[in-house]
Amino acid sequence: RHPGWPAKLGPLRVPAGILAVRPVRLRDAGDWSRVRLRDREHLEMWEPTGVGPWPERNAYWSWPSQWLALRGLARRGQCLPFTITVDGRFAGQITVGNVIRASLRSAWIGYWVSSDIVRGGVATGAVALVTDHVFDFGGLHRLEATVRPENTPSLRVLAKSGYRREGLFERYLDVAGGWRDHFCYAVTKEETGDGLVSRLVAKGLAERV
Ligand code: ACO
């Protein structure tokens, strides 16, 4: 077992409903595939370029191998792969990946939310829950989020959550078929005070339930 894994986080009341975060499951296959096949336009331009066509990569039968890979990385302490739920229903994913220990103790965070539930504070709440968790229980000191300058909703999520812009990574990631510039946002444990969730609660953006 690695620090902070497995874990269930929340619940938190946000405008969209009751938000919680838990480890990805094999039985997420049906919801994961249904939402992602429907949401191709919402997701594809922001995600790493994949091998093969979208319908194939997001088919029901492609989840078990992804889930196995994520579970393997999680068991080795290299990744914390979570499913986001709202009112108990599948609502997206939030993942902490490329966990580096030793004197860096840093990782990236990435997320997506089902198109039928966006603009309800779900991603912001999930980022706050997961960030607090990895700093308090995962043994990490820093999280970084890289986001395309065109991705206004995700930039808002990071600003609302308390991440800081550190710079521009040029031609950084192979996303949607090309090398895309990304802003790097980050937060370190010292900056979070009583935690990012407490800050959202103080601002009236979320409520502990
Ligand atoms: N123009 C301007 N602002 C917008 C727009 C838009 N078209 N759409 C949403 N927003 C704003 C919302 O109003 C809200 O800000 P506000 O609270 O100040 O009003 C903010 O963006 C969204 O905040 P949340 O409700 O917390 O986030 P949500 O649950 O809607 O999820 C997310 C945001 C994850 C970016 C979602 O839109 C999504 O899944 N997008 C596709 C995948 C993606 O881009 N993932 C992030 C990649 S970058 C990374 O992972 C670090």
Side-chain angles (χ1 to χ4, degrees):
R1 291 262 168 122
H2 283 275
W5 189 260
K8 288 183 177 180
L9 315 179
L12 213 55
R13 187 190 304 278
V14 296
I18 302 296
L19 164 70
V21 165
R22 52 136 176 100
V24 289
R25 295 176 183 156
L26 182 56
R27 62 181 180 278
D28 286 331
D31 293 325
W32 173 85
S33 175
R34 179 180 47 78
V35 172
R36 291 183 57 86
L37 290 176
R38 183 200 65 199
D39 277 356
R40 177 175 186 168
E41 283 206 10
H42 170 60
L43 299 173
E44 197 173 23
M45 63 214 248
W46 312 118
E47 295 200 350
T49 305
V51 179
W54 183 268
E56 231 169 73
R57 279 190 279 128
N58 294 286
Y60 181 85
W61 45 263
S62 83
W63 176 249
S65 59
Q66 291 197 36
W67 168 79
L68 263 181
L70 290 170
R71 192 181 65 159
L73 289 168
R75 286 183 170 177
R76 292 196 293 279
Q78 292 165 3
C79 176
L80 295 91
F82 293 105
T83 291
I84 303 170
T85 64
V86 173
D87 297 331
R89 286 193 295 273
F90 182 95
Q93 286 176 272
I94 183 161
T95 308
V96 173
N98 198 22
V99 173
I100 308 290
R101 307 270 176 195
S103 51
L104 186 59
R105 300 204 281 282
S106 186
W108 54 251
I109 187 166
Y111 41 80
W112 66 271
V113 169
S114 170
S115 65
D116 56 15
I117 207 165
V118 289
R119 292 175 172 254
V122 173
T124 302
V127 167
L129 283 169
V130 170
T131 303
D132 287 352
H133 174 72
V134 300
F135 288 165
D136 291 342
F137 303 104
L140 295 186
H141 168 251
R142 176 177 177 275
L143 278 178
E144 106 178 8
T146 53
V147 51
R148 293 180 66 181
E150 304 84 1
N151 195 343
T152 313
S154 186
L155 293 171
R156 278 296 300 149
V157 167
L158 294 170
K160 286 192 290 175
S161 310
Y163 279 58
R164 238 177 331 99
R165 186 181 294 181
E166 291 196 327
L168 178 70
F169 292 170
E170 297 185 32
R171 298 169 299 283
Y172 176 65
L173 266 185
D174 184 1
V175 164
W179 293 105
R180 312 293 180 181
D181 291 354
H182 281 69
F183 284 131
C184 177
Y185 279 72
V187 67
T188 58
K189 186 170 165 56
E190 294 83 344
E191 297 165 73
T192 59
D194 291 335
L196 298 187
V197 171
S198 295
R199 249 191 244 165
L200 288 184
V201 170
K203 283 196 264 178
L205 295 176
E207 192 187 320
R208 286 196 175 87
V209 284

